[in-house]
């Protein structure tokens, strides 16, 4: 597996990396950061890996700005609140380091899991045309149909990874030969809850950090209020497990419903979505997630990391 991530933004990126590190038989051969100002996100990845005792995984900082707008993408949360007092040192890389690392992972046969904006992958396609055509790519994002009843009625404008860089999303959509979209509406069934905090705290430093960040995120963004307002969400919601679900899909976890669909992109008022199109591109689309089953699977993987297994 190769993880391309906007780490240290939404807290589910750390949840995703922890799950990959604790998944039996999974090998993470590289991590690249996107939407990364001056290697700050790469520095946080490095800190997290050291905390997990896994400083053997190569890390490279990637794109900082959107290909579509030329502007930075996303902001970093308050360090003291989310990470504590430990100093995290930025890890800037040369302009092409991330592309070289992704290409090396792809040449090894790795699945590329993109859980942030797809800018690095689009830049890779521009420099190495055809590379993505022979690589399995799993994207967190790609809005196809609305959430089911009882969940927040979020439309494609909430599909952050796609909307941050629609030009990159279109490039990766067309260039990828083996593409899976882990759609935002489906991942709304996977929840990180206050009920999970006690278990996480017992999993050592990694679990304690994840618990700290989950509680901070839930408080900052009023996730409990969101949960109480929707019948399909738990009252103690802290966050959605968007990115960990994408990683589980890449790892062939069976608790998802995947449908083969022929899709075409639709760009309206700068918002990109995908819709069924007989003349479009064949894509695997995740349309449902076993939420309780996922929570159990994710906690077990984090426990393995915490206990050094």
């Amino acid at each position: 597996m190769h993880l391309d991530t906007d780490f240290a933004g939404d807290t589910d990126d750390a949840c995703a990396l922890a799950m990959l590190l604790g998944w039996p038989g999974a090998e993470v051969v590289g991590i690249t950061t996107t939407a990364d100002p001056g290697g700050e996100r790469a520095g946080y990845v490095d800190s997290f890996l050291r905390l997990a005792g896994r400083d053997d995984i190569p890390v490279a900082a990637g794109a900082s700005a959107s290909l579509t707008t030329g502007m930075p993408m996303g902001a970093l949360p308050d360090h003291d609140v989310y990470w504590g007092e430990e100093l995290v040192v930025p890890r800037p890389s040369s302009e092409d380091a991330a592309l070289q690392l992704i290409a090396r992972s792809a040449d090894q046969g790795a699945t590329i899991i993109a859980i942030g904006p797809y800018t690095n992958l689009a830049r890779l396609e521009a420099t190495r045309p055809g590379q993505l055509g022979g690589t399995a790519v799993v994207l967190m994002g790609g809005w196809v149909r609305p959430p089911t009843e009882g969940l927040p009625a979020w439309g494609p404008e909430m599909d952050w990874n796609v909307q941050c860089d629609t030009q990159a999303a279109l490039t990766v959509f067309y260039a990828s030969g083996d593409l899976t979209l882990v759609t935002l509406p489906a991942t709304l069934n996977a929840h990180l809850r206050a009920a999970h905090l006690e278990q996480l705290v017992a999993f050592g430093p990694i679990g304690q950090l994840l618990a700290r960040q989950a509680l901070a995120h839930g408080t900052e963004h009023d996730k409990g209020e969101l949960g109480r307002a929707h019948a399909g969400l738990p009252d103690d919601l802290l966050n959605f497990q968007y990115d960990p679900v994408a990683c589980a899909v890449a790892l062939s976890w069976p608790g998802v419903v995947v449908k083969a669909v022929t899709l075409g992109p639709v760009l309206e008022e700068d918002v990109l979505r995908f819709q069924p199109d007989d003349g479009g591109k064949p894509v695997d689309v995740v349309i449902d997630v076993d939420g309780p089953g996922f929570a159990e699977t994710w906690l077990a993987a984090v426990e393995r990391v915490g206990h050094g297994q």
Side-chain angles (χ1 to χ4, degrees):
M1 302 294 155
H2 179 106
L3 188 67
D4 189 66
T5 170
D6 56 340
F7 198 86
D10 198 343
T11 56
D12 63 318
D13 291 77
C15 293
L17 179 52
M19 189 182 73
L20 282 178
L21 296 177
W23 195 277
E27 180 182 4
V28 182
V29 296
I31 301 172
T32 45
T33 55
T34 186
D36 193 347
E40 291 187 60
R41 297 189 193 278
Y44 279 108
V45 171
D46 184 62
S47 178
F48 191 87
L49 290 175
R50 283 189 283 108
L51 189 65
R54 291 298 309 274
D55 56 1
D56 57 305
I57 301 172
V59 178
S64 60
S66 167
L67 298 176
T68 306
T69 67
M71 300 297 292
M73 300 176 286
L76 295 170
D78 185 282
H79 174 87
D80 291 342
V81 173
Y82 282 81
W83 291 86
E85 298 179 357
E86 181 182 355
L87 177 66
V88 174
V89 179
R91 282 194 48 176
S93 301
S94 65
E95 184 175 347
D96 295 329
L99 307 187
Q100 293 169 3
L101 183 53
I102 298 171
R104 188 176 78 178
S105 296
D107 290 341
Q108 291 178 265
T111 296
I112 308 299
I113 313 168
I115 59 174
Y118 316 138
T119 313
N120 285 336
L121 274 61
R123 292 180 64 229
L124 176 67
E125 183 62 21
T127 58
R128 295 196 179 198
Q131 177 87 68
L132 294 179
T135 304
V137 176
V138 176
L139 303 179
M140 172 54 233
W143 196 98
V144 177
R145 65 184 192 181
T148 57
E149 186 177 354
L151 297 175
W154 290 349
E157 71 282 352
M158 295 292 288
D159 196 4
W160 194 83
N161 291 347
V162 169
Q163 308 314 332
C164 270
D165 196 343
T166 54
Q167 178 180 328
L170 285 169
T171 296
V172 175
F173 175 78
Y174 283 118
S176 301
D178 179 1
L179 179 63
T180 301
L181 300 181
V182 183
T183 62
L184 173 72
T187 61
L188 297 181
N189 290 296
H191 313 129
L192 182 54
R193 304 176 54 182
H196 299 145
L197 294 179
E198 184 176 354
Q199 288 175 270
L200 286 173
V201 169
F203 295 162
I206 283 291
Q208 290 159 18
L209 177 61
L210 295 178
R212 175 193 187 115
Q213 294 188 348
L215 185 58
H217 181 89
T219 301
E220 180 180 358
H221 298 281
D222 296 322
K223 292 299 186 183
E225 181 179 347
L226 182 69
R228 290 185 291 273
H230 295 86
L233 301 180
D235 290 349
D236 63 343
L237 179 69
L238 296 176
N239 200 6
F240 297 102
Q241 295 279 46
Y242 315 102
D243 295 342
V245 170
C247 292
V249 170
L251 291 160
S252 300
W253 179 63
V256 295
V257 177
V258 182
K259 185 177 181 180
V261 186
T262 304
L263 297 177
V266 178
L267 185 63
E268 295 178 333
E269 298 182 352
D270 297 326
V271 174
L272 178 62
R273 60 182 174 86
F274 300 91
Q275 68 180 16
D277 182 344
D278 290 341
K281 178 185 176 71
V283 179
D284 286 337
V285 178
V286 175
I287 60 173
D288 198 12
V289 177
D290 172 7
F294 179 78
E296 181 178 343
T297 298
W298 179 76
L299 286 165
V302 177
E303 183 177 16
R304 293 185 196 99
V305 179
H307 292 162
Q309 298 178 13

